[in-house]
Amino acid sequence: MQLKFKGLVALSILTLIALIGIQGYLIHNTYELKKKTYTIDARNAIAKVYNSATVDSIMWLYRTDFLHNLEAYQEGNLNEQDLILKLQHKTAQINPAFVQLFNEGLANEKESYDVKIKKVLTSLTLTDSLGNTKEIYNAAVQDTILLLGEDFQNKDGLLINNSTWQDEQTPVKLNFQSSIFMNISDWDSIMLKELSGLLILSSLLFLFVVSLLYYSIRNLLKQKRLAEIKTDFINNITHELKTPLSTLALATKTLTNEHANGNKEIADGAVKIIDRQNARLQKLIDQVMQSSLGYQQIQLSKEDFNGSVFLNEILDDYMLSIPTSEISLNRNIESTGLPISADKFYLSTAIINLLNNAIKYGGTKLKVDYGVDKTDSTHYISVKDNGIGISPKYQKFIFEKFYRVSEKDTHNYKGLGLGLYYTKQIIIAHGGSISVKSEASKGSVFTIKIPVS
Ligand code: ADP
């Protein structure tokens, strides 16, 4: 059962992890797809603007200038470096107009774009009529030369086009190669906006599934504990009933025995046993009956009385009723001057329950404290013992109906797990509270608090 339950929980958690994995994978795929679509869209828009007549005419400004300089270079009036420098100078001159035209064109295409482009020189070679090729520039080995557009790192850009400009009319053949890169600067926020619906929906779905799983496991655990408590209760009550019943059977047998006929002593003894066992059975039944009472059903008849007198009386009577002299009681009972407003019968039942438990669970030195706690305006009554104590993990359950600490050695103590439940109901009916402080094998302190009226 335990193994099956753990397996079920593990399986549910694994399924949840698998679901998260699949969802993550799907979101990632959607992200990639959106990115691709967006890139294609942007690329098309750029191509449209870039190939427009106005942008093309701007480009011819530097080309014409370059051809002019090329002539000077061939005539020996310019060296290679100057040729490049003049090219850079001219492109820098026309670049602002280019950027403005480009951005305006792009804004007409689609408003949401924040796309930058740049055109860089990739290589520049000249081939003379004899077929000798001279490399004037090579981007692979020299610094990048920005021709047009806005500058950004190559690694942040996406190459969208390589273009070649060849001019056969010049005495030397020109091979002018350039590349166009695009850069979408607010990529992350665009994608976030695009995917926000999907992300919110999947987060909500995820939260829903996790809470569903959490509640199912919690309910399952609750049901399991309830089933265990009920089984324990049935075992306990059967065990509790067995002893008086077998003693009763024995006593009636003695009475009906011929030997007892006429023997007053034996008959009286048997009747006394029957009487005691009857009282014991009655007490058990009373306990079970009481357990059906919640604090709402407890009808209190309250009166105002002196707490210290009341407690001293209870403790005197209680100590007289204990058959053994091995139990010692230390009293620290204050005369508070403030009356307790409570039902004497119920309150004494609650205190006697605590005293009984203190002795039942190994206490030999008991201490009862009474006073008024000014911080929360309550009468406090605490019962301390030096018994077996309760380890912290069980403390929050001991006031529940039928709950008994199920450690091996505690099974030796008889009980139905109803005493503390009933005590708590009585105290709640008075508008008070009950708490425990305890350490295993050191002892426990139960404290009742009743508000000062
Ligand atoms: P019962 O005594 O019939 O088992 P209770 O409701 O009175 O039922 O107590 C619930 C559980 O709390 C007990 O089974 C016991 O393990 C623990 N308990 C109660 N009082 C004490 C105490 N004074 N010392 C140690 N354990 C205690």
Side-chain angles (χ1 to χ4, degrees):
M1 171 77 184
Q2 186 74 8
L3 220 69
K4 205 171 147 192
F5 175 74
K6 277 188 182 157
L8 217 69
V9 172
L11 199 72
S12 321
I13 292 173
L14 279 179
T15 315
L16 186 71
I17 293 172
L19 269 175
I20 294 168
I22 292 171
Q23 210 174 17
Y25 175 73
L26 289 178
I27 290 176
H28 175 76
N29 272 0
T30 316
Y31 172 83
E32 291 295 333
L33 207 72
K34 285 248 177 218
K35 201 168 169 176
K36 227 174 241 169
T37 319
Y38 201 89
T39 313
I40 292 171
D41 260 15
R43 190 182 274 196
N44 287 343
I46 289 170
K48 213 165 165 189
V49 178
Y50 189 80
N51 294 327
S52 67
T54 35
V55 172
D56 198 45
S57 65
I58 274 200
M59 236 113 56
W60 272 107
L61 289 178
Y62 82 80
R63 284 185 188 159
T64 323
D65 188 70
F66 182 74
L67 289 177
H68 181 73
N69 292 334
L70 196 59
E71 265 174 39
Y73 165 75
Q74 277 154 7
E75 284 161 9
N77 296 334
L78 276 180
N79 60 22
E80 288 168 9
Q81 213 178 358
D82 288 340
L83 188 65
I84 296 289
L85 274 174
K86 278 188 178 286
L87 171 68
Q88 279 181 290
H89 183 72
K90 188 68 189 172
T91 54
Q93 211 176 28
I94 62 171
N95 197 27
F98 169 83
V99 171
Q100 193 187 349
L101 256 181
F102 178 80
N103 285 343
E104 278 169 9
L106 209 61
N108 287 341
E109 283 301 312
K110 201 171 177 183
E111 279 168 18
S112 68
Y113 284 135
D114 185 12
V115 182
K116 287 182 194 145
I117 69 155
K118 69 171 182 179
K119 184 181 173 96
V120 294
L121 184 61
T122 327
S123 87
L124 178 59
T125 55
L126 298 171
T127 310
D128 66 17
S129 50
L130 298 174
N132 298 322
T133 299
K134 180 152 199 189
E135 187 179 76
I136 309 242
Y137 173 80
N138 183 355
V141 290
Q142 282 163 277
D143 287 346
T144 311
I145 292 178
L146 173 75
L147 296 174
L148 294 169
E150 295 171 75
D151 208 4
F152 49 81
Q153 295 270 307
N154 274 8
K155 66 172 172 49
D156 299 331
L158 183 78
L159 175 70
I160 53 171
N161 191 22
N162 282 322
S163 67
T164 306
W165 170 36
Q166 285 176 324
D167 199 312
E168 306 267 337
Q169 278 153 20
T170 45
V172 279
K173 280 187 205 162
L174 168 70
N175 192 331
F176 187 106
Q177 292 196 344
S178 57
S179 301
I180 300 173
F181 290 90
M182 77 167 181
N183 166 276
I184 300 176
S185 55
D186 53 352
W187 202 217
D188 287 342
S189 67
I190 291 170
M191 280 298 113
L192 209 67
K193 219 187 277 171
E194 291 272 327
L195 293 176
S196 58
L198 185 71
L199 285 175
I200 291 171
L201 201 76
S202 32
S203 310
L204 285 178
L205 222 75
F206 172 70
L207 272 177
F208 178 71
V209 173
V210 169
S211 19
L212 212 70
L213 190 69
Y214 170 75
Y215 279 111
S216 311
I217 292 177
R218 216 176 69 153
N219 261 350
L220 220 69
L221 277 172
K222 226 182 189 168
Q223 298 285 343
K224 192 168 147 286
R225 217 166 61 78
L226 220 70
E228 280 167 7
I229 285 176
K230 283 198 173 141
T231 317
D232 277 355
F233 172 70
I234 291 168
N235 290 341
N236 288 334
I237 197 138
T238 321
H239 178 76
E240 289 286 297
L241 287 173
K242 247 186 199 158
T243 328
L245 282 177
S246 52
T247 320
L248 274 175
L250 219 79
T252 17
K253 211 174 186 178
T254 313
L255 268 184
T256 49
N257 199 327
E258 283 189 17
H259 185 59
N261 269 346
N263 189 331
K264 194 167 174 333
E265 210 176 313
I266 295 179
D268 279 355
V271 170
K272 269 185 196 150
I273 292 174
I274 291 174
D275 205 37
R276 273 203 305 275
Q277 295 311 318
N278 186 30
R280 192 168 164 187
L281 281 175
Q282 188 59 49
K283 205 171 136 195
L284 271 175
I285 289 165
D286 281 352
Q287 260 190 20
V288 178
M289 298 286 283
Q290 281 167 353
S291 80
S292 65
L293 289 186
Y295 63 92
Q296 302 98 329
Q297 282 90 39
I298 296 177
Q299 300 285 331
L300 300 178
S301 49
K302 283 191 185 179
E303 55 188 298
D304 286 357
F305 52 86
N306 181 312
S308 63
V309 173
F310 166 75
L311 267 166
N312 277 317
E313 274 173 13
I314 292 185
L315 294 176
D316 290 343
D317 290 354
Y318 188 76
M319 289 315 282
L320 281 177
S321 72
I322 297 174
T324 161
S325 58
E326 282 162 20
I327 312 285
S328 69
L329 174 69
N330 180 357
R331 305 178 195 198
N332 179 20
I333 292 169
E334 284 177 33
S335 290
T336 61
L338 285 171
I340 300 184
S341 170
D343 184 310
K344 274 187 168 176
F345 169 73
Y346 279 113
L347 189 59
S348 52
T349 308
I351 294 165
I352 289 167
N353 273 350
L354 295 184
L355 291 166
N356 280 341
N357 273 354
I359 296 176
K360 183 157 85 174
Y361 295 104
T364 50
K365 290 184 182 129
L366 313 190
K367 183 164 182 266
V368 173
D369 284 63
Y370 166 66
V372 165
D373 189 338
K374 293 221 171 63
T375 54
D376 58 359
S377 223
T378 52
H379 294 274
Y380 65 84
I381 303 163
S382 69
V383 177
K384 186 177 179 203
D385 66 61
N386 61 338
I388 58 169
I390 309 158
S391 59
K393 59 180 170 181
Y394 301 122
Q395 286 174 17
K396 61 173 183 274
F397 302 119
I398 58 173
F399 297 101
E400 284 178 16
K401 204 188 239 185
F402 302 132
Y403 187 83
R404 306 203 71 221
V405 174
S406 59
E407 268 173 319
K408 275 181 224 124
D409 47 2
T410 352
H411 268 311
N412 299 332
Y413 304 92
K414 286 179 189 168
L416 297 176
L418 292 172
L420 285 181
Y421 167 75
Y422 187 49
T423 307
K424 184 171 178 175
Q425 300 310 305
I426 291 175
I427 302 305
I428 294 178
H430 281 88
S433 64
I434 181 165
S435 59
V436 63
K437 273 195 186 140
S438 182
E439 215 178 307
S441 32
K442 293 242 166 95
S444 321
V445 189
F446 283 86
T447 306
I448 288 174
K449 287 197 160 188
I450 308 270
V452 172
S453 56

